[in-house]
């Protein structure tokens, strides 16, 4: 019998598990406290649980934290973690400190099946989905490396994989991260980035999760988007933006549109002007990501003046636009540079 991974269970489900083992429900809440507040994942060290309960629990379940196989610190303070799961699958997570903030970028799939032309992860294809506990396991797995008193304050779903193509596990992991008895992160500090799956965006709208949504738009005409993002051949930009317009944004929250700037492909003033037109009527902000190169990509990063001109045009028309100079470029941990070798 395969063990239950306690990281897959919400605090309420941990309570049910405790009851099913003949213990009072609050034992489940204690387990959640150990894992998420005290960072203790070894059942034997959960010292306020009665021994017979711990033993009964250990027969059925364990906290399966992925193994840190490699840690690569970058010049800029960010750090790449390579995690290995029991079946040998590997994913990457990136830790990015910024003042008081400590952001963790998590993966949702091993590889990705969407094949965006500019994305290194896309060249891997999809190996498998992660479970909710494997997504949350990346947060639990970096904790020992943080040092006393340091905690991850923000989580972005921008690592390997497409979160909305692994919908159930992604949503469950969001509930685990935001549960007051779980990781207890404010949903406003969590951002889910999607390639733009209309059905997934519509389902997410019904969940009342109140997390931030980021849309990987990257092009302003269907002709260009079809070319660099095969997903666009399934539903056009207009359809995607219609779903964004219908998305119930919490008070004062804005939707982020990510835009990878590719030299000579989508970086002209007319692209910026088209982008302005497309975003009319959406509470939007734009995150411009200068392309992060990888060998054999066939794309380039626009020269700095063109990046700044694109940004100015948006700003002049009242759209908040920031340029994200990716972290971890020197260690292959920047946006779209993540790829792990398939184990032999
Ligand atoms: N699959 C999701 C989330 C992971 S990718 C998505 O596509 O949104 C996180 C962001 O990095 C996306 O906006 C993606 O388009 C962008 N990205 C991918 N490859 C990149 C590259 N080489 N340079 C810069 N950004 C890249
Ligand atoms: Fe997948 Fe996102 Fe990369 Fe596209 S950009 S291939 S959806 S991870």
């Amino acid at each position: 019998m395969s063990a239950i991974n306690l990281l897959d269970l919400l605090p309420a489900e941990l309570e049910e598990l405790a009851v099913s083992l003949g213990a009072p429900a609050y034992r489940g809440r204690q387990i959640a406290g150990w894992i998420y507040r005290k960072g203790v994942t070894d059942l034997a060290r959960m010292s306020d649980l009665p021994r017979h309960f711990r033993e009964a629990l250990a027969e059925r379940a364990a906290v399966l934290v992925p193994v840190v196989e490699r840690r690569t610190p970058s010049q800029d303070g960010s750090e790449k973690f390579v995690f290995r799961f029991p079946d040998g699958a590997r994913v990457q997570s990136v830790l990015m400190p910024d003042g008081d903030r400590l952001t963790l970028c998590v993966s949702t799939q091993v590889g990705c099946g969407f094949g965006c032309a500019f994305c290194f992860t896309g060249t891997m294809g999809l190996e498998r989905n992660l479970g909710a506990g494997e997504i949350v396991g990346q947060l639990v797995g970096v904790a020992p490396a943080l040092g006393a008193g340091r905690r991850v304050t923000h989580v972005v779903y921008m690592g390997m994989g497409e979160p909305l193509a692994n919908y159930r596990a992604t949503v469950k992991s969001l509930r685990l991260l935001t549960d007051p008895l779980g990781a207890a992160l404010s949903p406003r500090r969590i951002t889910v980035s999607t390639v733009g799956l209309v059905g997934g965006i519509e389902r997410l709208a019904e969940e009342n999760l109140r997390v931030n949504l980021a849309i990987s738009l990257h092009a302003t005409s269907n002709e260009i988007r079809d070319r660099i993002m095969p997903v666009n051949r399934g539903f056009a930009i207009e359809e995607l933006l219609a779903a964004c317009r219908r998305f119930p944004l919490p008070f004062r929250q804005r939707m982020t549109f990510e835009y990878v700037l590719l030299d000579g492909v989508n970086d002209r003033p007319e692209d910026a002007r088209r982008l302005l037109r497309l975003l009319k009527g959406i509470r939007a902000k734009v995150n411009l990501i200068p392309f992060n190169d990888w060998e054999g990509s066939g794309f380039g990063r626009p020269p700095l003046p063109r990046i700044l001109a694109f940004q100015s045009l948006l700003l002049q028309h009242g759209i908040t636009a920031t340029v994200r100079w990716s972290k971890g470029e020197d260690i292959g941990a920047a946006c779209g540079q993540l790829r792990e070798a398939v184990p032999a």
Side-chain angles (χ1 to χ4, degrees):
M1 189 183 83
S2 66
I4 297 171
N5 182 2
L6 295 176
L7 296 180
D8 274 319
L9 304 186
L10 290 161
E13 292 169 327
L14 290 171
E15 290 181 351
E16 286 167 24
L17 179 65
V19 170
S20 77
L21 295 172
Y26 72 85
R27 295 289 181 210
R29 295 197 290 279
Q30 281 176 305
I31 299 170
W34 280 109
I35 299 172
Y36 296 105
R37 264 199 302 286
K38 299 181 197 147
V40 171
T41 53
D42 178 0
L43 296 179
R45 285 182 51 216
M46 300 186 178
S47 51
D48 57 2
L49 301 179
R51 197 157 58 101
H52 61 88
F53 173 64
R54 258 185 284 156
E55 285 167 2
L57 189 61
E59 273 176 31
R60 301 267 306 273
V63 186
L64 299 178
V65 187
V67 175
V68 178
E69 193 174 76
R70 206 156 13 104
R71 280 174 67 174
T72 319
S74 159
Q75 300 268 344
D76 62 18
S78 68
E79 190 169 6
K80 179 168 87 175
F81 286 74
V82 175
F83 283 110
R84 194 183 66 244
F85 296 103
D87 67 346
R90 294 184 180 88
V91 297
Q92 302 183 355
S93 315
V94 186
L95 199 56
M96 297 168 289
D98 183 10
D100 291 343
R101 278 185 184 214
L102 188 55
T103 302
L104 182 68
C105 174
V106 295
S107 296
T108 53
Q109 299 183 307
V110 184
C112 181
F114 285 92
C116 302
F118 47 81
C119 176
F120 196 32
T121 307
T123 63
M124 278 179 78
L126 176 66
E127 215 179 295
R128 72 166 173 89
N129 282 327
L130 295 186
E134 292 178 321
I135 300 171
V136 173
Q138 297 163 62
L139 178 80
V140 177
V142 296
L146 302 182
R150 260 177 105 223
R151 281 175 165 274
V152 168
T153 61
H154 293 72
V155 176
V156 295
Y157 283 59
M158 297 185 184
M160 293 163 67
E162 165 52 38
L164 299 185
N166 182 12
Y167 187 84
R168 282 180 54 166
T170 291
V171 165
K172 182 143 195 199
S173 70
L174 291 168
R175 298 204 188 287
L176 286 158
L177 291 184
T178 53
D179 195 302
L181 298 170
L185 279 170
S186 157
R188 305 193 68 127
R189 294 173 165 221
I190 301 177
T191 302
V192 175
S193 174
T194 175
V195 71
L197 301 183
V198 170
I201 294 169
E202 279 169 346
R203 274 174 86 185
L204 199 66
E206 308 284 311
E207 305 278 355
N208 195 26
L209 279 161
R210 308 178 79 81
V211 296
N212 301 297
L213 192 60
I215 308 288
S216 291
L217 190 61
H218 305 327
T220 56
S221 74
N222 284 314
E223 189 239 319
I224 300 175
R225 201 164 189 268
D226 279 353
R227 192 143 52 84
I228 60 176
M229 301 176 76
V231 68
N232 198 65
R233 298 171 202 158
F235 21 70
I237 290 180
E238 295 72 26
E239 237 182 293
L240 168 58
L241 291 178
C244 294
R245 284 198 174 80
R246 288 192 297 269
F247 193 82
L249 277 179
F251 184 59
R252 291 172 75 170
Q253 214 152 306
R254 277 178 300 178
M255 195 172 281
T256 301
F257 288 84
E258 294 166 280
Y259 197 94
V260 176
L261 286 165
L262 303 164
D263 189 16
V265 176
N266 63 359
D267 59 345
R268 294 157 305 178
E270 65 203 75
D271 293 298
R273 279 193 283 272
R274 256 199 317 254
L275 182 56
L276 284 165
R277 279 200 295 278
L278 287 174
L279 296 183
K280 278 237 168 72
I282 304 181
R283 267 184 5 244
K285 58 183 169 189
V286 173
N287 212 328
L288 300 168
I289 319 173
F291 173 64
N292 294 308
D293 208 356
W294 41 277
E295 207 179 314
S297 72
F299 294 100
R301 176 182 287 193
L304 184 62
R306 199 132 24 97
I307 296 173
L308 297 178
F310 199 102
Q311 181 189 25
S312 315
L313 225 153
L314 298 178
L315 290 173
Q316 278 162 25
H317 291 83
I319 288 267
T320 308
T322 48
V323 180
R324 188 202 300 163
W325 296 104
S326 281
K327 299 241 171 197
E329 241 181 293
D330 55 335
I331 53 168
C335 303
Q337 287 185 322
L338 303 180
R339 185 190 158 130
E340 268 311 293
V342 179

